[in-house]
Structures are given as structure tokens and as C-alpha cells.
Amino acid sequence: MKKMKKYGLFAAILFVPALLCAQVSVPQPLKSIDISEYAEIEVVPNRISLRIELKERTELKNDVKISIKTQEDSLRSLIKRMKIDASKLSVVSMSTTYTQIRKKEKDAVTNKVFDLELTQFSDANLFMQKLDKWMVYAAYITKVEHSQYDSLMREMQKTALIKAKKTAQFILEGINESVANTMEVRFEMLNYGNDVPYSYWRGAGMKDKIQMNMEASNESDDENANIELKKIKIKSVVFVKFQIK
């Protein structure tokens, strides 16, 4: 009787692994195709950020000191004359450093920095042209953007996705296959339009630093010395994995 139980137990031990192996099925890998596509658009910037620097200095010709107050009054007067909203001008920082003035002893020099937000590049252009005559030490464009950047980027992403599906369908039709489901979608993050060239610098304090091609001797000449406008490129690149039926 004991031998019968041993044989039965042995048979059960052999049967269970066999049953488990019979129930395991290896899934077949899904057929897929990888597609990369892109969509882009160029737009005129409608958000321009200007950084304006005021610095106490002494004119070399007549040895007259130009104060921060004189420059700030001049700056605000220029903004008023151009009918720019005064609330768009904000103070970034103000500091005082000690530096040597010519061969004299060290003296305190005050610096004040502003940001000016504009919506039209023509205003930025005209503003930069007039700085030399309004005693502002230096100004430069720090950023050009578009207020609808996010919605335009979503539009480009959608367009890129549509192009990717059409490309996949075109390729698969050539080999008698068709698209089933979308298995994976990845967007590449791109950033364009924020590189500002040195030609966007302007002001009385920049003459010794950068050779400008916009120097002019009168108001009519200044009007012709336009800063070249560069459009912003908004581009979306998408990588899509499609399942093949």
C-alpha cells in the first residue's frame, strides 16, 4: 500500500510541471514601424524684451558728469514721446561700485538697470535708434518671443502627428500592410528665436565696445538705420511607433 502511494506521488510530481508547461504560451512580438516627422512655422515676434542700462559717467569732451537721474528722466521722456505704456518699464537692479575715474582717485559710480516690454518690433527699432541722443548709457534686446507660442506649438505637434501617420500608411501600402494602433509617441523639445545678435546693442556707452553700422548724425539718418528683424521659428519633431495589422 505504501508503494502505491509512493508511485502515485511520483506520478503527480511529474504531471504538475507537464501541465504548467502546457498552459504557458510565448506571445508573438507585435509588428511595428517607426516614423519621424516634423512641422514648422515662422512668425513675427510680438513680445520684445529690452534691457536698458543707466550708468553715471563723465563726458570726455566737457568733463560734465551725467547723473542717473538725468538719464532716467531722459528715458522716461523718450517713452512718453513714443506713447509707450509707462507700466511696461520696470526696475531690475540698482547698485553702486567704486571705480577709478581717469587718473583721479576712486569714486562711487551708480548703475541702474531697467526692463522694457514691447509688443511691436517697430517700437523697439525706433527706440533703439533714438538712444544716442537721449543720454541712455546702453540698451539691447534680450529676448524675442510670440505671445501665442504654446498654441502654435500644439498646432505644429498635431500637424507633425498627421504627417507621421500619412507617411506610415504610404510606406505600408507599398508592402501590402496597414496601420493598426499607435504604440508610442515622443516629441523632441526645440527652442528657436532667442539668440540675439550683437547688432541689437545700442546706446552711448556701446560705441567703445561694438562697432555699429547704425551710427547716424541726424534724425533723418537714424530713421533709415533699422535693426534687421528675424522671425521666430516654431518647430515640432515627433517620433511615432505604429502597430502593423
Side-chain angles (χ1 to χ4, degrees):
M1 189 68 177
K2 291 183 178 180
K3 288 184 178 181
M4 291 289 292
K5 290 183 178 179
K6 288 182 180 179
Y7 286 129
L9 180 60
F10 180 71
I13 293 173
L14 292 177
F15 176 73
V16 172
L19 181 61
L20 292 175
C21 290
Q23 292 178 345
V24 173
S25 60
V26 179
Q28 297 296 320
L30 297 175
K31 295 188 297 182
S32 63
I33 181 172
D34 294 335
I35 299 294
S36 173
E37 273 292 357
Y38 75 94
E40 66 180 15
I41 186 175
E42 289 188 344
V43 295
V44 176
N46 63 1
R47 185 181 293 165
I48 301 99
S49 300
L50 271 69
R51 176 63 52 89
I52 303 167
E53 298 181 3
L54 309 184
K55 181 178 180 179
E56 283 184 338
R57 62 191 189 276
T58 302
E59 287 189 343
L60 299 178
K61 294 182 180 180
N62 48 24
D63 203 29
V64 174
K65 187 173 183 179
I66 303 176
S67 67
I68 289 292
K69 184 179 185 306
T70 300
Q71 295 176 69
E72 184 171 348
D73 290 345
S74 179
L75 171 62
R76 294 188 181 278
S77 177
L78 174 58
I79 289 174
K80 185 177 180 179
R81 284 190 55 175
M82 292 182 61
K83 298 181 180 180
I84 298 173
D85 186 357
S87 65
K88 300 298 181 180
L89 183 70
S90 59
V91 178
V92 177
S93 65
M94 185 171 180
S95 61
T96 301
T97 58
Y98 286 87
T99 183
Q100 187 169 355
I101 308 298
R102 298 184 189 177
K103 296 182 179 179
K104 299 178 182 179
E105 295 182 358
K106 288 187 176 181
D107 193 9
V109 176
T110 301
N111 298 271
K112 196 169 185 179
V113 180
F114 292 86
D115 273 348
L116 179 63
E117 299 295 330
L118 300 174
T119 57
Q120 298 184 30
F121 200 85
S122 57
D123 287 343
N125 209 338
L126 187 59
F127 183 85
M128 298 284 274
Q129 292 164 11
K130 293 180 178 294
L131 287 181
D132 290 347
K133 296 183 178 181
W134 287 78
M135 294 181 287
V136 173
Y137 179 72
Y140 48 94
I141 298 175
T142 57
K143 191 185 298 182
V144 287
E145 299 175 308
H146 197 281
S147 58
Q148 301 299 318
Y149 178 88
D150 291 340
S151 61
L152 289 171
M153 176 57 75
R154 286 193 295 270
E155 183 181 335
M156 291 302 100
Q157 290 175 338
K158 182 179 178 180
T159 302
L161 279 171
I162 293 172
K163 289 175 64 176
K165 186 172 183 179
K166 288 182 178 180
T167 300
Q169 289 172 336
F170 174 78
I171 294 173
L172 293 177
E173 285 175 2
I175 56 175
N176 296 320
E177 299 281 2
S178 60
V179 174
N181 300 319
T182 302
M183 302 172 65
E184 182 183 357
V185 176
R186 290 183 292 110
F187 289 102
E188 182 179 352
M189 300 300 295
L190 301 172
N191 189 14
Y192 291 97
N194 289 333
D195 295 333
V196 180
Y198 282 114
S199 59
Y200 284 2
W201 290 65
R202 187 71 170 170
M206 303 311 300
K207 291 182 180 179
D208 297 333
K209 297 181 181 180
I210 299 173
Q211 183 64 36
M212 303 295 297
N213 57 9
M214 298 182 295
E215 295 296 332
S217 58
N218 54 60
E219 189 73 16
S220 60
D221 290 338
D222 277 350
E223 292 176 357
N224 295 325
N226 291 330
I227 301 171
E228 181 183 357
L229 170 63
K230 292 187 177 182
K231 293 183 178 180
I232 299 174
K233 181 185 292 185
I234 301 176
K235 181 176 181 179
S236 175
V237 178
V238 65
F239 302 90
V240 189
K241 182 186 290 292
F242 293 101
Q243 181 185 349
I244 300 174
K245 285 185 180 179

